[in-house]
Amino acid sequence: MTLVGRDLVKAYVIERSIFGRPRAVRKAVDDVSLVVEPGRTFALVGESGSGKTTTAELMLGLNRPDAGSVTVDGADLGSFSGRQLREVRRNVQVVFQDPASALDPTQRVGSALSEPLAIHRSGARSSRRQTVLETLDLVGLPLQPRDLDRYPAEFSGGQRQRLAIARALVLRPRYLVLDEPVSALDVSTQARVLTTLRDLQAETGVGYLLISHDLSVVRQVADDVAVMYRGKVVEQGSANDVLGSPRHPYTHALLDAVPRLSARSRQPTFSGDVVESPDATQSSEGCAYRPRCPLSTDRCAHEVPELRVVGDAAVACHNVLNAVPVASPTMRGDL
Amino acid sequence: MTELGNVARREPAPALKITDLVIETEADGVTIELLHGVSLSVPAGECVGIVGESGAGKSVMMSAALGLCELSGTRVTSGSIEVGGVEIVGASARVLNKVRGNVAAIVFQEPSVSLDPSFTIGAQIAEPVRWHRRVSRQEAWDRAIEALRLAGFPNPERRAKDYPHMLSGGLKQRAMIALAISCEPQLLIADEATTALDVTIQAQVLDLLAELRERLDMSMVLVTHDLGVVAQTCSEVSVMYAGEIVEAGRTSDVFAAPAHPYTEGLLRCVPDRLDREAALVGIPGDVPAAGSRVDGCRFAARCSYAEQRCKVEAPELQAIEEGRTVRCHRFGEVDLEGVT
């Protein structure tokens, strides 16, 4: 019983000739595989443009992969259409980043939260309000029945995110996709929402697919991690392993870039200037990370590194086996 | 107390000096006080961080510092704001226009909102240069390119002709910074300037700001909710809560041994990257709604150390050592945990 994405590929045509022939294609997701197990959290990490959200869309069946498959508890999403797809989606729900735009400002929260139940004809109409109230208890926002007549704007940011989580949970899905669930919230609120998510998982056994660029958040809740860079997974493994002893230079760079409370002096982040956004359409020759990588060699310019197993993790880097000392935060300079 | 952090120096006037600032707004015909007499001093050449949850009044205060109150629908009712020695409160449009962009500049959180989509970024940067410095078009354009170069723009001659939508988020923020530094201001206010960026890009922009501060001898105010950013860039920090400063001092001192329970709470919210099992604590409850009537300490309702006195008597800001102030009755009575 798992939510599995296998060898997912999704490409977009970004430039066409005047006759409509594709001239440039960008692979937003390039050969990504992941497994979300009940009661566990799989995190996708990376900068904007790395393909995290596209991967999430594929996993939700909101978008069809060009290659590869998504299976929900063994059932292939690609083989379904319309009504059947809706049935499957009931078990895979989503929480978006910004609760302010995820909730309709003109819809009372009771109506917003019971809508999924109505759509899926779940339970008797009379019992739906009760289900909503129970779910709100579950997400740590116990409301009185009369509060259900209030509008989203009457709640604070953290409360609104709890409303969004509750709405995703009313159908009791087995999997929840969390797309940057706390990045729009204050730190004080972030901590509480994360704790709630963790408790919720322990209580209901829901499996999370967490999308985040914030490694400190990932560290708190993830069991497994895949680090994405320009559509490809560059490192994947258990959270302890990947974040505790990163092997890929990009994972190192991401961890280095997190502002820390102690240790005032930080290494200058990247030796190479990163300024240009990773939206490049350049050919896929060589390693995509090469322009930013302090370790790159000639080989990196010509040969795309494959994801290879190293210890308990998988890493896509030519230089990782011999060059990167495990668990050392500074690996620039002496190489 | 208004001389905060300024005492030991024999340096020129502070880059920014806010004294007993009260700011109000009106909602549904009711007047709401947003800032309740805030004082803050940014010594020349220093970088001061302002932290606190949303609703603390950080941005309102910084908008006021540039005379931008009308934009946010607020007004200063009392107090004073001096930018480079010039009084901002009640200043004429002529004075304000001389200060803005020239003496002090601000970088906002969302670069895509701040940049005009219908002009090239070069033109947007050249405009204030022409206005403030009365130089020729060509000279203004050259300075715009120089500012873009300083801001770490790749290939500035060519990219100056780009429109904002052609730039990535990180580049747009760099364009905003170039715009802000184009007239070499003495004071740069960064209002959540890196919040919307990826960590890697954020790190670059922070490095860039530090470098520019040194090179152009600027003072800086960094408004942020990220305490890690403050720890790395700011020599001093002011913690704001519900329209008041509750603690201020040297960043290293404040973070190592917070004197206010709210500061301790904020520090505890930052997930420790090394210890997954460390429970995320958070701060219970929410910031009191602006305008709500609070007797006593505004933080008392969320404070685990609060006692009876805290609920009835508002604490004053007291100096506890040189350059260090706190607003708490229980200071000295409770042991607060900092970050080592």
Side-chain angles (χ1 to χ4, degrees):
Chain A
M1 297 298 257
T2 43
L3 172 63
V4 181
R6 195 169 283 118
D7 306 327
L8 296 171
V9 177
K10 181 75 192 175
Y12 292 97
V13 175
I14 51 175
E15 198 186 336
R16 287 181 188 276
S17 71
I18 50 170
F19 302 109
R21 262 188 326 131
R23 190 180 268 165
V25 170
R26 176 165 173 222
K27 283 186 176 169
V29 175
D30 190 0
D31 206 8
V32 171
S33 297
L34 56 93
V35 179
V36 185
E37 291 172 59
R40 285 174 72 85
T41 302
F42 188 103
L44 283 174
V45 188
E47 292 163 296
S48 21
S50 60
K52 308 184 296 273
T53 297
T54 307
T55 308
E57 284 171 9
L58 298 176
M59 297 300 285
L60 284 162
L62 293 174
N63 209 333
R64 297 229 163 182
D66 297 333
S69 65
V70 176
T71 52
V72 183
D73 297 337
D76 189 345
L77 270 191
S79 64
F80 295 123
S81 60
R83 187 169 308 172
Q84 292 165 306
L85 197 56
R86 182 190 286 179
E87 208 38 53
V88 178
R89 280 212 190 109
R90 177 190 181 124
N91 283 319
V92 191
Q93 293 286 315
V94 61
V95 177
F96 292 106
Q97 173 170 5
D98 185 5
S101 55
L103 296 163
D104 183 344
T106 63
Q107 192 179 22
R108 294 176 199 276
V109 299
S111 149
L113 266 64
S114 57
E115 199 172 22
L117 295 169
I119 289 171
H120 288 276
R121 301 202 177 82
S122 171
R125 193 164 301 182
S126 52
S127 70
R128 284 180 192 154
R129 253 176 120 80
Q130 194 49 41
T131 312
V132 167
L133 288 170
E134 282 167 17
T135 313
L136 283 165
D137 275 345
L138 207 56
V139 301
L141 184 66
L143 292 185
Q144 298 301 314
R146 64 185 144 83
D147 292 329
L148 295 180
D149 292 330
R150 291 159 72 190
Y151 290 97
E154 298 173 54
F155 295 87
S156 72
Q159 291 175 328
R160 268 183 284 193
Q161 192 60 303
R162 284 172 200 271
L163 289 173
I165 295 170
R167 182 177 58 179
L169 279 175
V170 283
L171 288 165
R172 300 289 182 270
R174 280 201 286 277
Y175 309 100
L176 203 54
V177 176
L178 305 164
D179 192 353
E180 302 278 9
V182 297
S183 56
L185 306 177
D186 268 319
V187 272
S188 54
T189 316
Q190 275 191 5
R192 284 186 286 146
V193 171
L194 284 179
T195 311
T196 302
L197 285 170
R198 246 156 67 165
D199 295 348
L200 203 59
Q201 186 168 57
E203 212 165 303
T204 63
V206 60
Y208 291 144
L209 174 58
L210 172 71
I211 314 280
S212 181
H213 70 275
D214 189 336
L215 288 166
S216 42
V217 168
V218 170
R219 178 97 215 177
Q220 289 301 311
V221 291
D223 299 297
D224 303 293
V225 173
V227 180
M228 289 185 75
Y229 187 75
R230 287 209 203 166
K232 274 187 176 300
V233 172
V234 295
E235 183 160 3
Q236 186 163 354
S238 79
N240 275 335
D241 215 42
V242 173
L243 302 179
S245 41
R247 292 178 174 88
H248 196 282
Y250 179 60
T251 316
H252 269 282
L254 277 179
L255 284 165
D256 270 359
V258 177
R260 288 188 169 77
L261 277 180
S262 43
R264 265 188 70 86
S265 60
R266 175 168 46 87
Q267 300 285 322
T269 314
F270 290 95
S271 44
D273 205 13
V274 193
V275 177
E276 287 292 349
S277 70
D279 60 359
T281 58
Q282 306 144 354
S283 68
S284 58
E285 198 177 301
C287 173
Y289 187 60
R290 188 177 57 87
R292 297 169 72 170
C293 184
L295 305 176
S296 74
T297 61
D298 280 351
R299 189 178 172 202
C300 307
H302 305 297
E303 200 182 320
V304 180
E306 295 295 319
L307 207 56
R308 281 174 311 182
V309 174
V310 183
D312 298 327
V315 185
C317 177
H318 291 310
N319 301 308
V320 77
L321 288 175
N322 40 16
V324 183
V326 170
S328 153
T330 51
M331 28 119 254
R332 212 175 302 101
D334 32 300
L335 286 160
Chain B
M1 173 206 88
T2 54
E3 299 297 317
L4 213 174
N6 211 9
V7 197
R9 280 164 230 282
R10 279 170 282 110
E11 277 174 26
L16 171 67
K17 189 172 164 191
I18 294 176
T19 315
D20 297 329
L21 186 67
V22 177
I23 293 184
E24 289 180 352
T25 189
E26 229 151 87
D28 302 329
V30 183
T31 303
I32 294 169
E33 198 174 278
L34 298 176
L35 285 194
H36 320 289
V38 171
S39 297
L40 174 82
S41 177
V42 180
E46 293 289 316
C47 180
V48 173
I50 299 182
V51 296
E53 290 162 285
S54 13
K58 310 182 297 268
S59 295
V60 169
M61 178 164 74
M62 287 305 125
S63 305
L66 288 186
L68 296 170
C69 276
E70 297 80 31
L71 286 183
S72 55
T74 59
R75 60 167 183 273
V76 174
T77 41
S78 70
S80 130
I81 303 169
E82 283 177 38
V83 174
V86 178
E87 178 61 51
I88 297 297
V89 177
S92 66
R94 213 173 123 252
V95 172
L96 287 178
N97 283 341
K98 273 198 179 143
V99 170
R100 286 182 198 139
N102 197 19
V103 184
I106 189 163
V107 180
F108 291 108
Q109 172 169 2
E110 199 44 74
S112 37
V113 178
S114 305
L115 291 166
D116 190 325
S118 46
F119 292 91
T120 65
I121 55 163
Q124 293 186 53
I125 298 170
E127 190 197 349
V129 175
R130 240 168 96 68
W131 207 94
H132 284 302
R133 294 293 140 93
R134 308 264 166 227
V135 294
S136 70
R137 273 172 207 285
Q138 184 57 47
E139 214 170 308
W141 182 260
D142 290 345
R143 284 187 71 149
I145 287 175
E146 191 47 40
L148 284 169
R149 196 190 313 282
L150 273 177
F153 237 71
N155 205 345
E157 286 88 355
R158 189 170 57 79
R159 309 287 314 246
K161 293 175 190 146
D162 282 356
Y163 288 88
H165 77 269
M166 299 159 84
L167 307 176
S168 66
L171 278 187
K172 270 188 230 166
Q173 199 54 293
R174 278 169 196 266
M176 280 305 296
I177 290 169
L179 178 58
I181 62 167
S182 59
C183 293
E184 304 191 1
Q186 296 153 24
L187 174 69
L188 183 69
I189 299 170
D191 187 355
E192 301 277 9
T194 60
T195 309
L197 305 176
D198 279 318
V199 269
T200 49
I201 310 295
Q202 162 172 287
Q204 285 179 359
V205 170
L206 288 175
D207 288 347
L208 169 72
L209 287 174
E211 191 195 315
L212 286 174
R213 191 164 68 83
E214 202 139 300
R215 197 176 322 177
L216 303 176
D217 202 19
M218 282 188 306
S219 315
M220 207 159 92
V221 178
L222 212 74
V223 178
T224 179
H225 67 271
D226 189 332
L227 298 173
V229 168
V230 172
Q232 263 157 30
T233 35
C234 302
S235 50
E236 291 177 23
V237 63
S238 288
V239 183
M240 284 186 78
Y241 185 75
E244 290 177 330
I245 288 180
V246 295
E247 178 168 8
R250 294 198 59 77
T251 309
S252 46
D253 298 345
V254 171
F255 285 10
H260 196 285
Y262 182 59
T263 315
E264 181 192 49
L266 282 180
L267 288 169
R268 276 195 193 157
C269 293
V270 181
D272 189 330
R273 280 124 212 124
L274 299 175
D275 184 8
R276 179 183 161 141
E277 298 315 317
L280 277 173
V281 182
I283 304 175
D286 287 296
V287 181
S292 56
R293 177 85 218 130
V294 186
D295 295 318
C297 173
R298 288 174 205 278
F299 187 60
R302 300 172 73 186
C303 182
S304 53
Y305 305 101
E307 47 181 34
Q308 193 47 35
R309 174 173 47 146
C310 303
K311 290 177 182 133
V312 290
E313 187 187 332
E316 294 290 322
L317 203 61
Q318 49 173 320
I320 53 172
E321 53 193 79
E322 184 160 334
R324 185 90 190 270
T325 49
V326 67
R327 186 190 294 277
C328 180
H329 287 309
R330 304 225 53 198
F331 173 70
E333 300 171 12
V334 290
D335 238 352
L336 303 180
E337 188 189 351
V339 180
T340 42

